[in-house]
Short mmCIF file of all heavy atoms in Angstrom, two decimals:
data_model
loop_
_atom_site.label_atom_id
_atom_site.label_comp_id
_atom_site.label_asym_id
_atom_site.label_seq_id
_atom_site.Cartn_x
_atom_site.Cartn_y
_atom_site.Cartn_z
N LEU A 1 -32.57 57.06 23.17
CA LEU A 1 -33.31 55.88 22.70
C LEU A 1 -34.26 55.37 23.79
O LEU A 1 -35.43 55.05 23.52
CB LEU A 1 -32.32 54.80 22.27
CG LEU A 1 -32.94 53.57 21.58
CD1 LEU A 1 -33.64 53.96 20.31
CD2 LEU A 1 -31.84 52.54 21.31
N VAL A 2 -33.77 55.27 25.01
CA VAL A 2 -34.57 54.79 26.14
C VAL A 2 -34.26 55.70 27.33
O VAL A 2 -33.10 55.93 27.66
CB VAL A 2 -34.25 53.32 26.48
CG1 VAL A 2 -35.03 52.88 27.70
CG2 VAL A 2 -34.60 52.42 25.32
N ALA A 3 -35.31 56.18 27.98
CA ALA A 3 -35.12 57.02 29.17
C ALA A 3 -35.27 56.20 30.45
O ALA A 3 -34.52 56.41 31.41
CB ALA A 3 -36.14 58.17 29.18
N ASP A 4 -36.17 55.26 30.48
CA ASP A 4 -36.42 54.41 31.64
C ASP A 4 -36.12 52.98 31.27
O ASP A 4 -36.92 52.32 30.61
CB ASP A 4 -37.86 54.57 32.14
CG ASP A 4 -38.13 53.80 33.43
OD1 ASP A 4 -37.15 53.27 34.01
OD2 ASP A 4 -39.30 53.71 33.84
N THR A 5 -34.94 52.48 31.68
CA THR A 5 -34.57 51.12 31.31
C THR A 5 -35.38 50.05 32.02
O THR A 5 -35.31 48.88 31.63
CB THR A 5 -33.06 50.90 31.61
OG1 THR A 5 -32.83 51.18 33.00
CG2 THR A 5 -32.19 51.80 30.77
N SER A 6 -36.14 50.41 33.02
CA SER A 6 -36.96 49.44 33.72
C SER A 6 -38.35 49.26 33.07
O SER A 6 -39.10 48.38 33.48
CB SER A 6 -37.16 49.85 35.19
OG SER A 6 -37.84 51.10 35.29
N SER A 7 -38.67 50.10 32.10
CA SER A 7 -39.97 50.04 31.44
C SER A 7 -39.87 49.06 30.25
O SER A 7 -39.13 49.31 29.30
CB SER A 7 -40.39 51.41 30.94
OG SER A 7 -41.57 51.33 30.19
N ARG A 8 -40.59 47.96 30.34
CA ARG A 8 -40.56 46.98 29.26
C ARG A 8 -41.20 47.52 27.99
O ARG A 8 -40.77 47.20 26.88
CB ARG A 8 -41.23 45.70 29.72
CG ARG A 8 -40.52 44.98 30.86
CD ARG A 8 -41.20 43.65 31.18
NE ARG A 8 -40.49 42.96 32.25
CZ ARG A 8 -40.83 41.76 32.75
NH1 ARG A 8 -41.93 41.15 32.26
NH2 ARG A 8 -40.13 41.20 33.70
N LEU A 9 -42.26 48.30 28.14
CA LEU A 9 -42.91 48.86 26.96
C LEU A 9 -41.96 49.80 26.22
O LEU A 9 -41.89 49.79 24.98
CB LEU A 9 -44.17 49.62 27.37
CG LEU A 9 -45.38 48.77 27.78
CD1 LEU A 9 -46.52 49.65 28.25
CD2 LEU A 9 -45.82 47.89 26.61
N GLU A 10 -41.23 50.64 26.97
CA GLU A 10 -40.29 51.55 26.33
C GLU A 10 -39.15 50.80 25.66
O GLU A 10 -38.71 51.16 24.55
CB GLU A 10 -39.75 52.52 27.37
CG GLU A 10 -39.02 53.71 26.76
CD GLU A 10 -38.71 54.79 27.79
OE1 GLU A 10 -39.30 54.70 28.90
OE2 GLU A 10 -37.92 55.69 27.48
N LEU A 11 -38.69 49.73 26.29
CA LEU A 11 -37.64 48.90 25.66
C LEU A 11 -38.18 48.24 24.42
O LEU A 11 -37.45 48.09 23.42
CB LEU A 11 -37.15 47.86 26.67
CG LEU A 11 -36.37 48.38 27.87
CD1 LEU A 11 -36.09 47.25 28.88
CD2 LEU A 11 -35.07 49.02 27.42
N ALA A 12 -39.44 47.79 24.45
CA ALA A 12 -40.03 47.18 23.27
C ALA A 12 -40.14 48.20 22.13
O ALA A 12 -39.89 47.88 20.97
CB ALA A 12 -41.41 46.58 23.58
N GLY A 13 -40.53 49.43 22.46
CA GLY A 13 -40.59 50.47 21.44
C GLY A 13 -39.24 50.77 20.84
O GLY A 13 -39.11 50.95 19.62
N ALA A 14 -38.19 50.80 21.67
CA ALA A 14 -36.85 51.03 21.18
C ALA A 14 -36.39 49.89 20.29
O ALA A 14 -35.72 50.09 19.26
CB ALA A 14 -35.88 51.23 22.34
N TRP A 15 -36.75 48.64 20.66
CA TRP A 15 -36.36 47.48 19.84
C TRP A 15 -37.05 47.54 18.48
O TRP A 15 -36.43 47.26 17.45
CB TRP A 15 -36.74 46.21 20.57
CG TRP A 15 -36.30 44.96 19.86
CD1 TRP A 15 -35.10 44.31 20.00
CD2 TRP A 15 -37.04 44.23 18.87
NE1 TRP A 15 -35.05 43.21 19.17
CE2 TRP A 15 -36.24 43.14 18.46
CE3 TRP A 15 -38.30 44.38 18.32
CZ2 TRP A 15 -36.66 42.21 17.52
CZ3 TRP A 15 -38.71 43.47 17.36
CH2 TRP A 15 -37.90 42.40 16.98
N CYS A 16 -38.33 47.91 18.46
CA CYS A 16 -39.06 48.02 17.20
C CYS A 16 -38.47 49.12 16.32
O CYS A 16 -38.37 48.97 15.10
CB CYS A 16 -40.54 48.30 17.46
SG CYS A 16 -41.45 46.92 18.20
N TYR A 17 -38.02 50.22 16.95
CA TYR A 17 -37.43 51.31 16.17
C TYR A 17 -36.08 50.88 15.57
O TYR A 17 -35.81 51.18 14.41
CB TYR A 17 -37.25 52.52 17.05
CG TYR A 17 -36.39 53.61 16.42
CD1 TYR A 17 -36.90 54.40 15.39
CD2 TYR A 17 -35.08 53.83 16.85
CE1 TYR A 17 -36.13 55.37 14.80
CE2 TYR A 17 -34.31 54.81 16.26
CZ TYR A 17 -34.83 55.59 15.25
OH TYR A 17 -34.07 56.54 14.65
N GLN A 18 -35.29 50.15 16.33
CA GLN A 18 -33.97 49.75 15.83
C GLN A 18 -34.04 48.66 14.80
O GLN A 18 -33.36 48.72 13.78
CB GLN A 18 -33.10 49.29 17.02
CG GLN A 18 -32.63 50.45 17.92
CD GLN A 18 -31.74 49.95 19.02
OE1 GLN A 18 -32.09 48.99 19.75
NE2 GLN A 18 -30.59 50.57 19.20
N HIS A 19 -34.89 47.65 15.03
CA HIS A 19 -34.91 46.47 14.18
C HIS A 19 -35.99 46.54 13.10
O HIS A 19 -35.94 45.82 12.10
CB HIS A 19 -35.10 45.20 14.99
CG HIS A 19 -33.98 44.95 15.95
ND1 HIS A 19 -33.94 45.51 17.21
CD2 HIS A 19 -32.84 44.21 15.84
CE1 HIS A 19 -32.85 45.11 17.84
NE2 HIS A 19 -32.17 44.32 17.03
N GLY A 20 -37.03 47.36 13.32
CA GLY A 20 -38.09 47.48 12.33
C GLY A 20 -37.86 48.56 11.31
O GLY A 20 -38.67 48.76 10.42
N ARG A 21 -36.73 49.30 11.44
CA ARG A 21 -36.38 50.35 10.50
C ARG A 21 -37.53 51.38 10.36
O ARG A 21 -37.91 51.79 9.27
CB ARG A 21 -36.03 49.79 9.14
CG ARG A 21 -34.90 48.77 9.17
CD ARG A 21 -34.59 48.21 7.81
NE ARG A 21 -33.53 47.20 7.90
CZ ARG A 21 -33.05 46.55 6.85
NH1 ARG A 21 -33.50 46.82 5.64
NH2 ARG A 21 -32.11 45.64 7.00
N LEU A 22 -38.08 51.76 11.51
CA LEU A 22 -39.19 52.74 11.49
C LEU A 22 -38.61 54.12 11.30
O LEU A 22 -37.58 54.47 11.84
CB LEU A 22 -39.95 52.67 12.82
CG LEU A 22 -40.60 51.31 13.11
CD1 LEU A 22 -41.28 51.37 14.48
CD2 LEU A 22 -41.61 50.96 12.05
N PRO A 23 -39.27 54.96 10.51
CA PRO A 23 -38.75 56.31 10.23
C PRO A 23 -38.92 57.24 11.44
O PRO A 23 -39.86 57.10 12.22
CB PRO A 23 -39.60 56.77 9.05
CG PRO A 23 -40.91 56.04 9.20
CD PRO A 23 -40.53 54.69 9.78
N LEU A 24 -38.02 58.19 11.55
CA LEU A 24 -38.10 59.23 12.59
C LEU A 24 -37.67 60.54 11.91
O LEU A 24 -36.50 60.84 11.81
CB LEU A 24 -37.19 58.90 13.78
CG LEU A 24 -37.31 59.84 14.96
CD1 LEU A 24 -38.66 59.69 15.63
CD2 LEU A 24 -36.21 59.58 15.98
N PRO A 25 -38.66 61.34 11.48
CA PRO A 25 -38.31 62.60 10.84
C PRO A 25 -37.53 63.53 11.77
O PRO A 25 -37.60 63.43 13.00
CB PRO A 25 -39.68 63.21 10.46
CG PRO A 25 -40.62 62.05 10.49
CD PRO A 25 -40.10 61.10 11.51
N ALA A 26 -36.79 64.44 11.14
CA ALA A 26 -35.97 65.36 11.92
C ALA A 26 -36.83 66.28 12.81
O ALA A 26 -36.44 66.56 13.94
CB ALA A 26 -35.10 66.19 10.98
N ALA A 27 -38.00 66.71 12.31
CA ALA A 27 -38.87 67.55 13.11
C ALA A 27 -39.40 66.79 14.32
O ALA A 27 -39.52 67.38 15.41
CB ALA A 27 -40.04 68.05 12.26
N THR A 28 -39.68 65.52 14.16
CA THR A 28 -40.16 64.73 15.30
C THR A 28 -39.04 64.53 16.30
O THR A 28 -39.27 64.62 17.53
CB THR A 28 -40.66 63.38 14.79
OG1 THR A 28 -41.72 63.59 13.84
CG2 THR A 28 -41.19 62.53 15.95
N ALA A 29 -37.83 64.26 15.84
CA ALA A 29 -36.68 64.11 16.77
C ALA A 29 -36.45 65.39 17.54
O ALA A 29 -36.14 65.34 18.75
CB ALA A 29 -35.45 63.71 15.98
N ARG A 30 -36.58 66.53 16.86
CA ARG A 30 -36.39 67.81 17.56
C ARG A 30 -37.47 68.01 18.61
O ARG A 30 -37.19 68.45 19.73
CB ARG A 30 -36.43 68.95 16.55
CG ARG A 30 -36.40 70.33 17.16
CD ARG A 30 -36.45 71.41 16.11
NE ARG A 30 -36.50 72.74 16.74
CZ ARG A 30 -37.62 73.34 17.10
NH1 ARG A 30 -38.80 72.76 16.86
NH2 ARG A 30 -37.61 74.55 17.63
N ALA A 31 -38.72 67.69 18.29
CA ALA A 31 -39.80 67.86 19.25
C ALA A 31 -39.60 66.93 20.46
O ALA A 31 -39.86 67.34 21.61
CB ALA A 31 -41.15 67.58 18.58
N LEU A 32 -39.17 65.71 20.22
CA LEU A 32 -38.91 64.80 21.33
C LEU A 32 -37.78 65.31 22.23
O LEU A 32 -37.84 65.20 23.46
CB LEU A 32 -38.58 63.41 20.79
CG LEU A 32 -39.71 62.65 20.08
CD1 LEU A 32 -39.18 61.33 19.52
CD2 LEU A 32 -40.87 62.39 21.04
N SER A 33 -36.75 65.89 21.61
CA SER A 33 -35.62 66.42 22.40
C SER A 33 -36.06 67.58 23.27
O SER A 33 -35.66 67.67 24.43
CB SER A 33 -34.48 66.84 21.46
OG SER A 33 -34.01 65.74 20.71
N LEU A 34 -36.89 68.46 22.73
CA LEU A 34 -37.34 69.61 23.49
C LEU A 34 -38.26 69.21 24.64
O LEU A 34 -38.33 69.90 25.65
CB LEU A 34 -38.06 70.62 22.56
CG LEU A 34 -37.17 71.36 21.56
CD1 LEU A 34 -38.00 72.28 20.69
CD2 LEU A 34 -36.08 72.16 22.27
N GLN A 35 -38.99 68.11 24.47
CA GLN A 35 -39.91 67.65 25.52
C GLN A 35 -39.27 66.64 26.46
O GLN A 35 -39.93 66.21 27.42
CB GLN A 35 -41.16 67.05 24.88
CG GLN A 35 -41.97 68.06 24.08
CD GLN A 35 -43.25 67.47 23.51
OE1 GLN A 35 -43.71 66.43 23.97
NE2 GLN A 35 -43.81 68.11 22.53
N GLY A 36 -38.03 66.23 26.18
CA GLY A 36 -37.36 65.27 27.06
C GLY A 36 -37.90 63.87 26.94
O GLY A 36 -37.78 63.10 27.92
N ARG A 37 -38.51 63.50 25.82
CA ARG A 37 -39.05 62.15 25.65
C ARG A 37 -38.09 61.32 24.86
O ARG A 37 -37.28 61.82 24.04
CB ARG A 37 -40.41 62.22 24.94
CG ARG A 37 -41.50 62.92 25.70
CD ARG A 37 -42.80 62.92 24.92
NE ARG A 37 -43.18 61.58 24.52
CZ ARG A 37 -44.20 61.31 23.68
NH1 ARG A 37 -44.86 62.32 23.13
NH2 ARG A 37 -44.50 60.08 23.36
N SER A 38 -38.17 60.00 25.05
CA SER A 38 -37.28 59.08 24.36
C SER A 38 -37.96 58.55 23.10
O SER A 38 -39.20 58.62 22.93
CB SER A 38 -36.91 57.93 25.27
OG SER A 38 -38.05 57.15 25.60
N ILE A 39 -37.16 57.99 22.21
CA ILE A 39 -37.68 57.40 20.99
C ILE A 39 -38.52 56.16 21.29
O ILE A 39 -39.57 55.94 20.68
CB ILE A 39 -36.54 57.03 20.04
CG1 ILE A 39 -35.75 58.31 19.65
CG2 ILE A 39 -37.03 56.32 18.80
CD1 ILE A 39 -34.55 58.06 18.79
N GLY A 40 -38.10 55.37 22.29
CA GLY A 40 -38.84 54.19 22.67
C GLY A 40 -40.24 54.52 23.16
O GLY A 40 -41.22 53.85 22.81
N ASP A 41 -40.36 55.56 23.95
CA ASP A 41 -41.67 55.99 24.47
C ASP A 41 -42.56 56.46 23.31
O ASP A 41 -43.77 56.14 23.25
CB ASP A 41 -41.49 57.11 25.48
CG ASP A 41 -42.82 57.65 25.98
OD1 ASP A 41 -43.55 56.90 26.64
OD2 ASP A 41 -43.12 58.83 25.73
N TYR A 42 -41.98 57.19 22.37
CA TYR A 42 -42.76 57.69 21.21
C TYR A 42 -43.24 56.51 20.34
O TYR A 42 -44.41 56.47 19.96
CB TYR A 42 -41.86 58.64 20.42
CG TYR A 42 -42.37 59.00 19.05
CD1 TYR A 42 -43.46 59.82 18.86
CD2 TYR A 42 -41.74 58.47 17.91
CE1 TYR A 42 -43.90 60.14 17.61
CE2 TYR A 42 -42.18 58.79 16.65
CZ TYR A 42 -43.27 59.61 16.50
OH TYR A 42 -43.70 59.94 15.23
N ILE A 43 -42.35 55.58 20.04
CA ILE A 43 -42.73 54.48 19.16
C ILE A 43 -43.73 53.56 19.84
O ILE A 43 -44.71 53.09 19.20
CB ILE A 43 -41.48 53.67 18.75
CG1 ILE A 43 -40.54 54.55 17.90
CG2 ILE A 43 -41.84 52.42 18.00
CD1 ILE A 43 -41.15 54.98 16.57
N VAL A 44 -43.58 53.27 21.12
CA VAL A 44 -44.53 52.37 21.79
C VAL A 44 -45.91 53.02 21.88
O VAL A 44 -46.94 52.33 21.80
CB VAL A 44 -44.00 51.97 23.18
CG1 VAL A 44 -44.21 53.06 24.21
CG2 VAL A 44 -44.68 50.69 23.63
N ASN A 45 -45.98 54.35 22.00
CA ASN A 45 -47.28 55.02 21.98
C ASN A 45 -47.95 54.84 20.64
O ASN A 45 -49.16 54.58 20.56
CB ASN A 45 -47.11 56.51 22.28
CG ASN A 45 -46.94 56.78 23.77
OD1 ASN A 45 -47.32 55.96 24.62
ND2 ASN A 45 -46.38 57.92 24.10
N LYS A 46 -47.18 54.97 19.56
CA LYS A 46 -47.75 54.78 18.23
C LYS A 46 -48.23 53.36 18.04
O LYS A 46 -49.33 53.09 17.51
CB LYS A 46 -46.69 55.14 17.18
CG LYS A 46 -46.33 56.59 17.09
CD LYS A 46 -45.18 56.84 16.15
CE LYS A 46 -45.61 56.68 14.69
NZ LYS A 46 -46.46 57.81 14.22
N LEU A 47 -47.45 52.38 18.49
CA LEU A 47 -47.83 50.98 18.31
C LEU A 47 -49.06 50.62 19.13
O LEU A 47 -49.98 49.92 18.63
CB LEU A 47 -46.64 50.07 18.69
CG LEU A 47 -45.42 50.14 17.77
CD1 LEU A 47 -44.30 49.27 18.32
CD2 LEU A 47 -45.79 49.67 16.35
N VAL A 48 -49.08 51.06 20.38
CA VAL A 48 -50.24 50.73 21.24
C VAL A 48 -51.53 51.33 20.69
O VAL A 48 -52.56 50.66 20.62
CB VAL A 48 -49.97 51.18 22.69
CG1 VAL A 48 -51.24 51.10 23.53
CG2 VAL A 48 -48.87 50.33 23.30
#
């Protein structure tokens, strides 16, 4: 969910994913796992 707990943007993205009920397809989750990225980083990039 969060890779860098000191990043406020990543924490904000994780909060939006958890409380905003944003979808995360299985293919996207697999791609994030293979690249070592967190869900918070992915969501905050989309929002920004």
Side-chain angles (χ1 to χ4, degrees):
L1 187 61
V2 176
D4 185 8
T5 56
S6 62
S7 175
R8 295 185 178 180
L9 286 177
E10 193 170 347
L11 292 174
W15 184 89
C16 292
Y17 169 73
Q18 287 182 311
H19 298 85
R21 303 180 183 180
L22 299 178
L24 185 68
T28 302
R30 174 180 176 271
L32 292 176
S33 298
L34 290 179
Q35 296 183 19
R37 295 180 56 188
S38 65
I39 298 176
D41 177 65
Y42 166 74
I43 294 297
V44 79
N45 281 339
K46 293 173 72 73
L47 292 176
V48 169

